[in-house]
Amino acid sequence: MESLSDTYSFADIFGMGDRCFVKLRPAQLERLNALVQACPILTHGEFYLRATSLNGVDFVIPDTDTLPEHNVIAWSRILDGKEVLCAVNIGEQHHAVLYVTIDNALHEINSRMQCIYASEISPAELNIEVRNGKSIRLTIPPHALVIYE
């Protein structure tokens, strides 16, 4: 069975390995590895890098130019008509508050996504809004990882 270290090969592109995963406490890492092993979508789902927006209007795909401002890398895994959204705040000092695009066809307006993992205190559920198709508004502490379904 795959572990977390087998699933984030793209992380070094953005420095996520150094900024987030290596800072997880052993209990957090164990919990995350158990989730990865229990949820096939996290390892076998189609991968989609997600656009983010600070104002809910102007959405951009994260790259080296936008990361200093947005500080968040978000991606989805989709399998069998279900989506799981993962996001990491690679910022050093501040909570990131921003909108993240999700799959428009898979979510109903005014429905919610539930938090299934958070490395730091994060909202338990998020409302789905009509922005850039559909999106959710995330609040992520510095160096934190969140996963919503």
Side-chain angles (χ1 to χ4, degrees):
M1 185 132 304
E2 294 183 63
S3 71
L4 177 64
S5 61
D6 299 326
T7 63
Y8 72 96
S9 60
F10 70 94
D12 292 332
I13 295 169
F14 296 109
M16 287 177 10
D18 291 337
R19 293 184 179 152
C20 178
F21 293 120
V22 298
K23 296 184 187 309
L24 293 175
R25 295 182 295 277
Q28 291 173 312
L29 194 54
E30 283 180 30
R31 198 167 51 100
L32 184 55
N33 270 323
L35 179 65
V36 168
Q37 291 177 11
C39 295
I41 192 171
L42 291 170
T43 55
H44 300 298
E46 292 290 323
F47 175 88
Y48 299 92
L49 194 58
R50 291 301 186 189
T52 61
S53 171
L54 297 174
N55 62 13
V57 175
D58 303 309
F59 283 80
V60 296
I61 296 289
D63 61 26
T64 54
D65 293 331
T66 59
L67 276 180
E69 181 181 357
H70 288 223
N71 286 328
V72 171
I73 299 132
W75 66 97
S76 289
R77 300 300 296 254
I78 296 177
L79 182 67
D80 297 330
K82 294 182 182 178
E83 178 174 21
V84 171
L85 178 77
C86 306
V88 174
N89 179 357
I90 62 171
E92 302 273 335
Q93 299 174 349
H94 302 288
H95 279 68
V97 179
L98 72 165
Y99 294 89
V100 178
T101 300
I102 56 175
D103 190 277
N104 191 42
L106 294 179
H107 302 279
E108 297 290 324
I109 297 171
N110 296 322
S111 61
R112 295 189 168 129
M113 293 185 83
Q114 307 296 317
C115 184
I116 60 173
Y117 179 87
S119 62
E120 299 293 335
I121 296 174
S122 298
E125 63 181 22
L126 300 170
N127 294 325
I128 294 172
E129 302 179 27
V130 178
R131 296 176 186 272
N132 199 37
K134 296 205 180 92
S135 68
I136 57 174
R137 185 172 181 254
L138 290 177
T139 301
I140 309 172
H143 290 172
L145 166 68
V146 295
I147 302 175
Y148 286 87
E149 68 175 357

